[in-house]
Amino acid sequence: MEKATFAGGCFWCMVKPFVEWDGIHKVTSGYMGGHVEFPSYEQVKKGDTGHLEVVQIEFDSNVFPYDKLLEIYWMQIDPTDAGGQFHDRGESYKTAIFYHSEEQRVVAEKSKKQLAESGRFKKPIVTEILPASTFYVAEDYHQDYYKKEPEHYQEDRDKSGRDEFINRHWK
């Protein structure tokens, strides 16, 4: 199994797009990129730990290649927004691709360049590509939130503007 780690704003909205594909074995919500050991959701949400909300994906690259994960990732975010994602604002909601190998870094950089040159967005692509660091699993109630609390999840997603953005730029 390989790992891919993506920050795309609220991690609740970043799980479902990845879970239903063959070759993807697990998607876990958590935190990466900060300077506090074992941060809590409340600490990360305040924005002073340096962590981003992320999803970590365990996948079989022979079945579902990393570049396909990147395609899905780009279609879930506004890669031009450096201040957060949709209605979730602040450092912990910024976008980033955390690479786990030099090969992932190269593929991610190429993917970002292709998106930037596609003309799909008028503003620059600001999503960072960073080396993976310690991954901290989020609290249990955040895991598979879209299944545990489907009404609240859908209400939050609808309010966020994420789906409207996706439909405007990718459909």
Side-chain angles (χ1 to χ4, degrees):
M1 284 304 121
E2 289 188 51
K3 291 180 182 176
T5 306
F6 302 130
C10 175
F11 48 35
W12 293 349
C13 291
M14 292 298 293
V15 173
K16 190 175 179 184
F18 293 101
V19 296
E20 297 176 3
W21 297 92
D22 288 340
I24 295 178
H25 294 273
K26 187 175 183 183
V27 181
T28 305
S29 296
Y31 317 109
M32 186 174 277
H35 57 272
V36 173
E37 289 188 1
F38 306 102
S40 70
Y41 175 68
E42 291 305 320
Q43 289 175 305
V44 172
K45 191 173 177 179
K46 284 180 188 174
D48 56 1
T49 68
H51 291 89
L52 304 182
E53 288 192 13
V54 300
V55 290
Q56 188 160 89
I57 303 162
E58 294 177 33
F59 67 105
D60 180 344
S61 62
N62 293 318
V63 178
F64 205 93
Y66 183 68
D67 62 330
K68 296 297 182 193
L69 287 174
L70 289 167
E71 287 177 20
I72 294 170
Y73 171 72
W74 291 121
M75 290 190 285
Q76 307 309 310
I77 65 167
D78 177 353
T80 68
D81 187 347
Q85 286 293 284
F86 311 104
H87 76 292
D88 293 311
R89 310 310 301 160
E91 288 294 309
S92 61
Y93 296 113
K94 290 170 46 174
T95 61
I97 297 167
F98 290 95
Y99 59 88
H100 293 265
S101 68
E102 181 61 16
E103 181 182 354
Q104 282 188 359
R105 185 193 66 74
V106 169
V107 173
E109 293 284 359
K110 180 180 175 187
S111 176
K112 180 179 176 179
K113 184 176 185 226
Q114 288 173 335
L115 182 62
E117 292 173 351
S118 73
R120 184 176 296 275
F121 298 100
K122 303 290 184 243
K123 296 188 275 182
I125 305 303
V126 297
T127 300
E128 294 183 278
I129 299 173
L130 304 167
S133 57
T134 303
F135 174 70
Y136 296 100
V137 176
E139 296 81 351
D140 284 345
Y141 70 94
H142 291 298
Q143 306 305 325
D144 297 317
Y145 192 81
Y146 76 99
K147 289 181 186 177
K148 292 176 181 173
E149 297 288 343
E151 289 176 18
H152 183 253
Y153 164 79
Q154 195 57 54
E155 180 182 309
D156 188 66
R157 190 170 174 109
D158 290 345
K159 282 191 315 189
S160 76
R162 187 182 292 263
D163 290 331
E164 182 180 309
F165 180 89
I166 290 169
N167 286 332
R168 189 168 359 117
H169 289 279
W170 294 100
K171 299 291 180 187

